[in-house]
Amino acid sequence: MHPSEPGIHESDPDFDIRLDRHGQVVLLSLTGRLEGVACLVLQQYLVNALVARIPPLLAVDLRSLAAIDEHGRDILRSAARHARVAEGRMIVVYGEYAAQASDDDGGEIEAAGTVEDALTDLSGTPRWPSG
């Protein structure tokens, strides 16, 4: 994207995603703006992570996001549901802008205060009952 395009500012960080493995847990660290095409990139990463291991164990670090749109929130909620259906878990570490990613009832996306907490929790016993 060119900085002179409407809605694009040089100070806005580009979207980036980093994938790391911590034992059986996949950690996705997101930076920049989770909007538009970036949502499709995230969706592909999440699909791959969800099918790579059964049950899937995912930690998603959103602390470095500058913005998130409704499509990004929907993708995170959907990935959390898919992880539970596969008897796995997905835990999100929220940042300033990313806290709005959870559902209004707060019950659909599991959250942790730090990446370390999420990784430790996911490495332990699953919380979600199967069925």
Side-chain angles (χ1 to χ4, degrees):
M1 294 191 217
H2 191 275
S4 64
E5 292 180 40
I8 305 300
H9 307 283
E10 288 186 39
S11 62
D12 289 341
D14 290 332
F15 178 75
D16 192 31
I17 187 165
R18 191 174 108 204
L19 183 144
D20 294 303
R21 294 192 189 280
H22 296 266
Q24 299 297 320
V25 179
V26 173
L27 170 63
L28 297 176
S29 300
L30 284 54
T31 58
R33 304 181 68 81
L34 183 53
E35 300 172 324
V37 175
C39 294
L40 300 175
V41 173
L42 173 61
Q43 187 172 32
Q44 288 303 310
Y45 271 84
L46 287 169
V47 166
N48 290 336
L50 286 167
V51 300
R53 182 178 179 281
I54 301 297
L57 299 172
L58 302 166
V60 182
D61 182 3
L62 305 180
R63 294 172 301 154
S64 295
L65 283 185
I68 184 170
D69 68 10
E70 186 60 35
H71 189 204
R73 290 187 289 274
D74 289 345
I75 288 169
L76 291 170
R77 288 188 291 259
S78 178
R81 282 190 301 273
H82 281 86
R84 284 193 304 275
V85 167
E87 297 184 6
R89 292 172 68 197
M90 183 179 100
I91 297 178
V92 173
V93 180
Y94 291 114
E96 179 182 349
Y97 295 99
Q100 50 185 294
S102 67
D103 273 357
D104 293 336
D105 64 10
E108 192 161 338
I109 298 179
E110 230 182 314
T114 67
V115 170
E116 293 76 20
D117 289 344
L119 295 174
T120 299
D121 200 6
L122 287 167
S123 297
T125 306
R127 286 188 187 171
W128 300 102
S130 59

